[in-house]
Amino acid sequence: MVGPVHAPTPDAHPPLVLLKDITKRFPGVVANDRVTFALHAGEIHALLGENGAGKTTLMNILYGLYRPDSGEIWVKGRRVDIRSPREAIQLGIGMVHQHFKLVLPHTVAENVALGLAGTPFWAPARAIGRKLRELSQRYGLPVDPDRRVWELSAGEQQRVEILKALIRGAEVLILDEPTSVLTPQEAQELFKVLARMKAEGHGIIFISHKLDEVLSVADRITVMRRGRVVGTVLAAETNKAELARMMVGREVVFRLRKGTCRPGEEALLVEDLHARNDRGLWALRGVTFRVCRGEILGIAGVAGNGQRELVEVLTGLRRAERGRIVLLGRDVTNRSPRLLSDLGCAHVPEERIRMGIVPALSVEENLVLKRHHRPPFCWRGLLRPKAVRAFAQKAVEDYAIMTPSLRTPAKLLSGGNIQRLILARELSGKPAVVIAAHPTYGLDVGATEQIRQLLLRQREEGAAVLLVSEDLEEILELADRIAVMFRGEIMGIVPAGEASLEEIGLMMAGERRLAVRSEGI
Amino acid sequence: MRRLGPLVFEPRLVPSRLAVLGVSLAAVLFALLLASAVFYGYGRNPWQAYAQIGRGLFGTWPSFSEVLRRAIPLILCGVGLTLAFRARFWNIGAEGQLLAGAVAATGVALFLPVPEGWRLPLMFLLGFLAGGVWAVIPALLRVKLAVNDVISTLMLNYVMAYIVEWLVHGPWKGPTMRGFAYTDAFPLSARLSYLPGTRVHWLTLVLGIAAALVVTGLLARTRLGYEVRVVGQSPEAARYAGINFTAVFALVMLLSGGLAGLAGVGEVAGIHWRLRSPGHISMGYGYTAIIVAWLARGSPLTAVLTALLFGLIFAAGDYMKTALGLPFQITGVFNGLVLFCLISFDLLMFWRVRLARKEEAWTGSTGSSAR
Amino acid sequence: MDWVNWLVSTVSRALAFGVPLLWGTLGEICAERAGVVNLGVEGMMILGAFTAFAVAQSTGQPGLGLLCAALVGGGAALFHAFLTVTLRANQYVSGLALSMFGLGLAGLLGRGWEGKPLAATLPTLTLPGLARIPVLGPMLFQDQTVLTYAGVLLAVLLWLLLFRTRWGVVIRSVGESPATADALGIRVSLVRYLCVGFGGLLAGVGGGYLSVAYRPAWTEGMSAGMGWIVIALTIFAAWDPLQAIWGAFFFGALYHLSYRLQAYLAPELLKLMPYLFAVVVLAASGFGGARWRRRAPGALGLPYVRGER
């Protein structure tokens, strides 16, 4: 099953890129351990692995963002030392990062012109426009050069990123988790573009953790696990089961135990909600739904269609301009985050480190954030360290948070443990409503499973769970009903059992489900 | 990890206390080293000058007491600033808040008909409130109207300085003072007593040390202190946790400005016994307190020590002026140098230095991963 | 016709007083557009003022004085850049330190020069032809130094540079999103050094103008908080060089009026007007929707570290 590893032999067609025995360490982790990887012209080579397997690190090394501790890089048969992205670009390497590297307030043309050799000094954006239109036509990547990037959808922003690489003459294109921001249909469009590029002789490295798409798009697949290459296989000669085994390192993929849904009374009602985003534009235009106790409502949709603003309005962090929110029968529209939290609305935030914890404070102090002002943790304005410590001790044990001590600054914990800390804090108060935004994003497979289990347990214990995620698999696995958001509206709500991937994909792209009115909210 | 000669530098996320102390001391010493250039510039041997200053200041109790005297306003302002900085509120306005306290105290001392025994307590109370209210303005401006705190606090320094100028030239100008821009002298009941043989108005000093203790307890053990730390470390998390920014910033600035106000009361009631032009009342204590607080790295108790250090520098400035004939502006240069050195040395705290072992190569190799 | 004369002289003096503010603000815009706040303007201006005076007094050439002032301002700014870009020190604290240091050093060095009037001052111009226009001529085209017009020209050029050229795209990108610029091979540190350094040059000239043109003498602390007003003006102008022109002249008018209106109000209360106004103006621009339009550069005040974990 393990394919041949390419050695730097002086053959007639050396690989476009050869990474040989690359090792890269970060404090406490070996991110890449003697990794060898080859890419040929005219192929799509997938790099498959769980979160944290070291795929992105390896590609950042190829793109000159990190220096390897040891190992060699060969490009077109020549040994090279890539010290910066500038040198990578000169070698014909382009990279589309998972989090796009775009200057949001600038126009598409300005973004493309940035640092591009050969643009005129005066009015570079205007000069680039023509070239941009020509390229976008050739590869089927339509964009308007004069629009500001923040106005574009995630899919359009991705096109800008690809065009940025192509216009710089990239022969090697690295795409890091490119489908995570796309609807299933948009992903198919992207694959067509990649096929066209492949036919023109480009080499494409496609980073992903999704087995299906890797099998459908790639020619060869290299699987990484914990910083090492497990093996390289031809897509035509392998199957999902084998890839899963290589990727996870064990035979059977864990299955969640999910009991039947017995929805109880209504816990959260949202009616005709309107809100603006940070730029003052409408982000929510009339969102209506309800979540009952004992059910999980999944909110699916491509990033940037109002999910973030929805969560913020529901948790009191953003003003609702119109509409109302009813929590346990009480109108809580535009009430403070503290009141909502006191009423039993838990919030697992999207931005774990920026918002979910105070990085410099200790684990125990982070565990009482939001409840520090109430007994038993606070009495007449004084904190009660013993009560805090006792609570933290129990939470750390119950939620299996791995920490050297309760006094360790939270920023020193791993991503999975930070998320466990947040869940321990949010769920230990027996919340009536749990609002979880991207709860497993970027976590490894063990933490992901555990966090999904925790959410299911909340549902069984009678909490109403609102799960916002861009990961369709996660939504399909956990949710009892699925609502799809597009441009600040709900395109439809379908029971999870009846949902087809295609139907959800269409709704994500803006097709309204006709049955939405008759089925109710 | 980097290697330099026989030493290995390793990054670390949390600096140890020892590293913080060592780096801070090194920074101050380095600043002293740089400042010796000034002495050379004036044709003096810096080492002799330093030694002479040391003998001059530490030789007798009255001369050393000048260090304490200079440190008093720095302690009060510095403690207040550590609190504000812990909330990441850039209070650059201690100078103006100090003057506000001085104005209020003068008002009570000269114009308020109160029983003699009540006069000093009322001066301190109103001085605290005046400094506090002057400081709450930028807090509200920042929370409600997104006005940059650095600019608003700084501008209010100038505004208050001109208000003091106006008072001493205009409405409050003492009829007995002739050409001088002074108010009348305070009555005896509005003057602070000294430690014997010194000009140390001990009551203000006690207040300063008490303030350091109270603020330490406040930060560590109260709800407000917890919220201050959350707001300062991560405003996003504070919003998420439903912490009321208006309340936190307003309270923090009330305390911070209030303490600076107390310093102002101490200066007029303890040293000058009258209100006079702002440059005489403060000598830039409010600005120096920024360095005091920064050097203390957010710890109010450490701020007492660092305030003493800068009290020493001010007293040295006085001494150099009278005994060595050097201009007092040297203290300003030295203050700037200390702050420069402090922030340039900061990065060092995040590196651990140790001797390299034999097997460790010049750049990281696979060998060291086996450790 | 009395009020016309009054208006003419007021506007003319307002322009003259706005010049240091304009130069300083343009410099700060340049630095902040690249993502670096420099609170050291006050220090750079006072060092510039002293340098210009000392050089002009010793050589008799005010132009040379201004050049040296620019170099000193630029050098001080480069030091700020070294601390904040290379050593990643806190930008606010570094700037404050620069201001304290500058005020202290200029005070120290300037003791011997105190109070002497400058013999060789920067000449004032009367623009041929234009100065003959009634009212507007004497208002705008008489008794100004070359720096008034150069400042306005510089504002226009800086605007063109920032918004119409390749360099402008690079500078603004570095200020908005250094990670993006880095990923495209831009040397973020280099751009920041250049912008901060250039900003310092301008602040130095602004300070030099004070001592060789506006009030040709050296007094300790003669920058009188103008450097801080410049920081406020930068926000007020929304980081736009063209808006900085009228912002600077507006505050120039405020400064001037604080002398002009002394017949009506105590001089001390008049002198606090510009500082009070700086706060009021910023507060007013915080009302309503203005907050969205006056968006600061995205990475302002943040050191850039390439994302190694």
Side-chain angles (χ1 to χ4, degrees):
Chain A
M1 94 182 184
V2 176
V5 168
H6 290 263
T9 46
D11 73 57
H13 293 287
L16 214 45
V17 168
L18 175 64
L19 298 164
K20 194 164 164 257
D21 283 328
I22 298 286
T23 296
K24 174 74 187 174
R25 276 183 306 274
F26 293 114
V29 222
V30 184
N32 287 156
D33 187 4
R34 282 160 288 160
V35 172
T36 295
F37 176 92
L39 174 75
H40 291 276
E43 78 162 344
I44 299 180
H45 192 157
L47 198 50
L48 179 71
E50 286 293 338
N51 286 316
K55 308 170 301 238
T56 303
T57 304
L58 185 68
M59 289 304 116
N60 280 341
I61 287 172
L62 176 57
Y63 194 59
L65 281 167
Y66 300 164
R67 305 292 306 278
D69 292 337
S70 64
E72 299 174 2
I73 303 173
W74 296 68
V75 174
K76 289 181 264 179
R78 224 157 41 85
R79 170 123 193 236
V80 292
D81 190 12
I82 306 178
R83 280 166 306 194
S84 71
R86 174 188 292 264
E87 295 181 4
I89 293 165
Q90 278 163 358
L91 288 167
I93 299 167
M95 181 161 178
V96 177
H97 298 265
Q98 186 177 6
H99 300 286
F100 300 143
K101 305 262 191 212
L102 292 168
V103 186
L104 296 180
H106 291 184
T107 64
V108 170
E110 282 176 329
N111 265 282
V112 175
L114 175 59
L116 179 58
T119 43
F121 183 77
W122 289 103
R126 205 177 308 154
I128 214 85
R130 208 167 41 85
K131 209 169 164 191
L132 200 56
R133 286 201 186 85
E134 184 189 300
L135 257 185
S136 64
Q137 216 153 47
R138 180 159 139 217
Y139 288 98
L141 294 161
V143 288
D144 176 357
D146 297 324
R147 299 233 355 238
R148 307 233 161 233
V149 169
W150 59 266
E151 298 174 314
L152 304 181
S153 73
E156 290 171 304
Q157 293 185 356
Q158 184 176 66
R159 282 180 226 148
V160 179
E161 284 283 39
I162 296 175
L163 285 168
K164 261 165 70 181
L166 289 176
I167 214 162
R168 284 167 171 74
E171 294 167 74
V172 177
L173 186 65
I174 307 164
L175 296 159
D176 192 352
E177 301 275 4
T179 58
S180 61
V181 297
L182 302 178
T183 67
Q185 285 85 355
E186 282 179 322
Q188 291 307 317
E189 284 299 311
L190 172 68
F191 294 163
K192 279 185 208 150
V193 173
L194 296 184
R196 216 165 303 162
M197 290 170 58
K198 177 171 106 172
E200 293 202 0
H202 294 275
I204 293 158
I205 303 175
F206 187 97
I207 305 180
S208 179
H209 66 276
K210 294 178 189 159
L211 302 174
D212 286 318
E213 69 180 30
V214 157
L215 277 169
S216 73
V217 73
D219 301 308
R220 282 195 304 155
I221 303 165
T222 291
V223 184
M224 285 186 75
R225 186 169 78 226
R226 289 193 193 157
R228 293 191 179 167
V229 169
V230 182
T232 299
V233 292
L234 291 175
E237 293 170 6
T238 186
N239 56 49
K240 238 177 124 172
E242 186 191 24
L243 288 178
R245 196 164 54 236
M246 290 168 73
M247 188 163 100
V248 185
R250 51 188 161 165
E251 193 63 46
V252 191
V253 179
F254 192 85
R255 296 232 36 102
L256 289 169
R257 277 181 296 119
K258 182 174 165 188
T260 50
C261 172
R262 285 182 297 276
E265 57 177 300
E266 173 186 296
L268 179 68
L269 172 68
V270 175
E271 264 181 2
D272 192 34
L273 205 58
H274 286 71
R276 293 176 190 273
N277 65 12
D278 289 340
R279 296 177 190 274
L281 306 172
W282 289 109
L284 298 179
R285 330 163 187 240
V287 171
T288 300
F289 62 81
R290 65 157 54 99
V291 198
C292 297
R293 285 183 170 275
E295 77 161 345
I296 298 181
L297 176 67
I299 303 266
V302 173
N305 276 293
Q307 297 98 316
R308 175 189 294 244
E309 288 82 3
L310 175 66
V311 169
E312 286 176 355
V313 172
L314 291 181
T315 51
L317 295 170
R318 184 177 291 277
R319 249 184 72 76
E321 306 273 337
R322 216 179 326 148
R324 64 186 194 127
I325 304 163
V326 180
L327 180 67
L328 303 172
R330 183 172 168 181
D331 190 324
V332 293
T333 319
N334 289 331
R335 302 307 297 271
S336 72
R338 176 160 287 173
L339 179 86
L340 289 165
S341 140
D342 288 354
L343 286 176
C345 176
H347 176 196
V348 181
E350 174 180 351
E351 298 203 48
R352 224 165 275 158
I353 296 178
R354 236 157 62 91
M355 191 179 254
I357 59 165
V358 187
L361 291 198
S362 67
V363 168
E364 58 181 4
E365 284 178 313
N366 268 290
L367 277 165
V368 295
L369 185 71
K370 271 187 173 182
R371 263 183 292 167
H372 66 275
H373 61 290
R374 282 190 308 183
F377 307 123
C378 179
W379 181 77
R380 292 196 176 179
L382 293 177
L383 292 182
R384 309 190 63 195
K386 275 189 190 147
V388 172
R389 169 139 305 193
F391 170 77
Q393 189 67 48
K394 186 157 183 309
V396 164
E397 282 162 19
D398 288 354
Y399 287 84
I401 304 168
M402 309 269 268
T403 173
S405 88
L406 294 178
R407 302 210 169 202
T408 307
K411 67 178 167 194
L412 297 183
L413 302 190
S414 71
N417 281 308
I418 285 175
Q419 190 69 332
R420 283 190 197 104
L421 188 160
I422 293 170
L423 281 156
R425 183 180 69 216
E426 297 301 311
L427 303 183
S428 60
K430 290 268 168 215
V433 174
V434 178
I435 296 171
H438 314 283
T440 63
Y441 179 84
L443 300 183
D444 65 31
V445 78
T448 300
E449 277 171 19
Q450 195 197 351
I451 277 150
R452 290 182 180 167
Q453 284 293 1
L454 282 171
L455 290 176
L456 283 176
R457 200 168 79 200
Q458 285 299 309
R459 161 181 175 264
E460 252 121 68
E461 288 175 5
V465 180
L466 185 73
L467 171 69
V468 178
S469 179
E470 279 145 30
D471 183 348
L472 261 185
E473 276 176 41
E474 173 164 278
I475 296 250
L476 286 168
E477 212 169 334
L478 293 178
D480 302 306
R481 289 187 300 142
I482 299 169
V484 181
M485 278 190 84
F486 177 75
R487 301 215 176 132
E489 290 179 78
I490 298 233
M491 291 290 111
I493 303 181
V494 289
E498 299 168 20
S500 78
L501 198 63
E502 203 207 341
E503 188 186 12
I504 291 178
L506 284 173
M507 287 197 282
M508 284 164 75
E511 295 258 342
R512 202 175 283 275
R513 186 170 190 255
L514 292 173
V516 63
R517 293 293 167 210
S518 59
E519 197 222 344
I521 52 174
Chain B
M1 194 189 84
R2 275 166 216 173
R3 181 163 170 174
L4 199 70
L7 300 175
V8 172
F9 293 81
E10 288 169 324
R12 57 169 147 204
L13 290 167
V14 182
S16 73
R17 273 166 194 243
L18 196 69
V20 175
L21 185 70
V23 167
S24 306
L25 275 178
V28 174
L29 287 177
F30 193 70
L32 275 175
L33 203 69
L34 290 181
S36 47
V38 178
F39 291 103
Y40 271 120
Y42 279 88
R44 286 174 197 278
N45 181 330
W47 312 120
Q48 281 173 5
Y50 283 137
Q52 199 178 345
I53 291 167
R55 277 197 303 276
L57 290 181
F58 295 103
T60 62
W61 163 238
S63 59
F64 179 72
S65 76
E66 277 299 289
V67 174
L68 276 182
R69 202 262 293 184
R70 290 291 199 175
I72 293 172
L74 292 173
I75 292 174
L76 280 162
C77 293
V79 168
L81 291 189
T82 52
L83 180 64
F85 291 170
R86 283 293 277 272
R88 283 275 149 60
F89 194 97
W90 292 96
N91 183 6
I92 314 299
E95 186 82 0
Q97 292 144 20
L98 183 150
L99 293 174
V103 167
T106 308
V108 175
L110 295 179
F111 306 110
L112 216 59
V114 283
E116 298 225 318
W118 285 91
R119 188 153 270 160
L120 271 173
L122 206 61
M123 283 164 74
F124 275 111
L125 181 71
L126 285 188
F128 181 89
L129 284 178
V133 168
W134 197 243
V136 167
I137 298 169
L140 295 181
L141 284 175
R142 170 165 156 186
V143 181
K144 299 293 180 196
L145 295 173
V147 177
N148 183 297
D149 37 355
V150 174
I151 295 171
S152 56
T153 50
L154 255 165
M155 292 295 138
L156 290 182
N157 286 344
Y158 285 91
V159 173
M160 188 48 82
Y162 281 118
I163 288 178
V164 173
E165 289 279 10
W166 171 66
L167 286 173
V168 297
H169 282 98
W172 285 7
K173 184 167 161 28
T176 61
M177 287 298 142
R178 296 208 193 127
F180 292 106
Y182 294 160
T183 62
D184 281 330
F186 287 4
L188 284 178
S189 63
R191 298 184 186 183
L192 290 167
S193 58
Y194 292 144
L195 288 180
T198 70
R199 286 205 286 162
V200 178
H201 38 110
W202 56 271
L203 184 60
T204 328
L205 180 63
V206 171
L207 278 177
I209 291 167
L213 290 168
V214 168
V215 172
T216 304
L218 179 105
L219 280 168
R221 295 297 288 272
T222 68
R223 173 181 160 185
L224 176 64
Y226 178 86
E227 293 189 347
V228 165
R229 287 182 287 143
V230 173
V231 165
Q233 295 289 345
S234 171
E236 291 285 321
R239 240 165 64 79
Y240 160 80
I243 289 172
N244 183 340
F245 277 71
T246 314
V248 169
F249 280 140
L251 278 171
V252 161
M253 285 303 279
L254 183 71
L255 286 172
S256 183
L259 291 177
L262 290 183
V265 180
E267 291 308 293
V268 287
I271 306 295
H272 305 287
W273 301 331
R274 57 172 66 85
L275 193 66
R276 51 196 293 203
S277 74
H280 285 108
I281 291 176
S282 168
M283 326 234 22
Y285 293 133
Y287 294 110
T288 307
I290 298 167
I291 317 175
V292 167
W294 195 257
L295 182 57
R297 296 179 198 281
S299 153
L301 285 175
T302 315
V304 175
L305 293 179
T306 52
L308 283 170
L309 174 69
F310 281 88
L312 182 75
I313 292 167
F314 269 107
D318 290 333
Y319 182 80
M320 283 187 279
K321 198 163 113 186
T322 51
L324 302 178
L326 294 175
F328 191 76
Q329 283 93 338
I330 286 187
T331 53
V333 174
F334 189 76
N335 285 348
L337 280 179
V338 172
L339 197 49
F340 271 138
C341 292
L342 270 177
I343 54 177
S344 353
F345 279 43
D346 256 7
L347 209 59
L348 287 181
M349 291 190 306
F350 293 92
W351 291 88
R352 191 200 317 272
V353 188
R354 60 174 176 75
L355 283 174
R357 271 168 284 228
K358 255 188 195 158
E359 71 271 16
E360 280 170 335
W362 282 88
T363 55
S365 72
T366 39
S368 53
S369 72
R371 273 185 285 128
Chain C
M1 283 318 271
D2 204 24
W3 66 272
V4 171
N5 282 334
W6 191 86
L7 190 69
V8 164
S9 67
T10 301
V11 171
S12 166
R13 289 295 85 196
L15 286 187
F17 216 115
V19 170
L21 294 173
L22 178 60
W23 282 75
T25 306
L26 293 178
E28 186 68 13
I29 287 174
C30 186
E32 293 200 9
R33 274 286 177 183
V36 181
V37 181
N38 188 351
L39 294 185
V41 182
E42 180 78 2
M44 299 186 297
M45 283 179 83
I46 194 80
L47 283 175
F50 169 71
T51 311
F53 180 84
V55 172
Q57 190 74 305
S58 334
T59 65
Q61 289 178 318
L64 187 65
L66 283 175
L67 183 70
C68 292
L71 292 178
V72 166
L78 282 180
F79 187 61
H80 175 70
F82 172 69
L83 289 180
T84 55
V85 177
T86 304
L87 297 182
R88 305 202 288 271
N90 184 302
Q91 295 182 3
Y92 280 0
V93 182
S94 172
L96 285 170
L98 180 54
S99 280
M100 286 185 198
F101 181 74
L103 286 168
L105 189 66
L108 187 62
L109 298 175
R111 278 165 46 83
W113 307 78
E114 192 85 29
K116 290 172 198 149
L118 183 63
T121 63
L122 201 64
T124 55
L125 312 172
T126 301
L127 294 193
L130 289 171
R132 300 245 192 88
I133 307 171
V135 185
L136 278 184
M139 205 187 256
L140 302 177
F141 303 113
Q142 238 173 36
D143 293 336
Q144 301 289 336
T145 62
V146 63
L147 290 184
T148 310
Y149 308 112
V152 174
L153 184 66
L154 189 73
V156 176
L157 288 178
L158 189 60
W159 184 86
L160 284 172
L161 177 86
L162 282 174
F163 298 104
R164 288 290 179 274
T165 69
R166 204 173 69 193
W167 288 4
V169 174
V170 169
I171 292 169
R172 285 182 294 128
S173 300
V174 164
E176 289 286 350
S177 171
T180 300
D182 187 25
L184 289 176
I186 308 282
R187 295 189 190 96
V188 173
S189 301
L190 180 70
V191 173
R192 289 192 162 172
Y193 266 95
L194 289 176
C195 286
V196 173
F198 183 69
L201 292 181
L202 302 192
V205 173
Y209 172 86
L210 283 176
S211 65
V212 300
Y214 187 76
R215 196 184 289 145
W218 164 252
T219 20
E220 192 182 342
M222 73 184 299
S223 55
M226 282 194 167
W228 309 117
I229 299 272
V230 159
I231 312 281
L233 267 175
T234 305
I235 301 175
F236 179 55
W239 295 270
D240 179 341
L242 295 183
Q243 291 198 45
I245 300 176
W246 69 267
F249 291 135
F250 172 68
F251 273 88
L254 276 180
Y255 267 104
H256 175 64
L257 286 179
S258 67
Y259 293 100
R260 213 55 200 276
L261 298 176
Q262 289 189 1
Y264 309 100
L265 201 60
E268 294 84 13
L269 292 184
L270 283 169
K271 278 187 189 162
L272 66 76
M273 285 302 162
Y275 309 100
L276 192 63
F277 248 77
V279 179
V280 170
V281 157
L282 286 184
S285 67
F287 274 111
R291 249 187 247 188
W292 285 312
R293 270 175 281 122
R294 292 190 192 284
R295 223 183 51 86
L300 187 62
L302 304 174
Y304 175 65
V305 196
R306 190 180 281 176
E308 297 229 7
R309 280 185 280 177

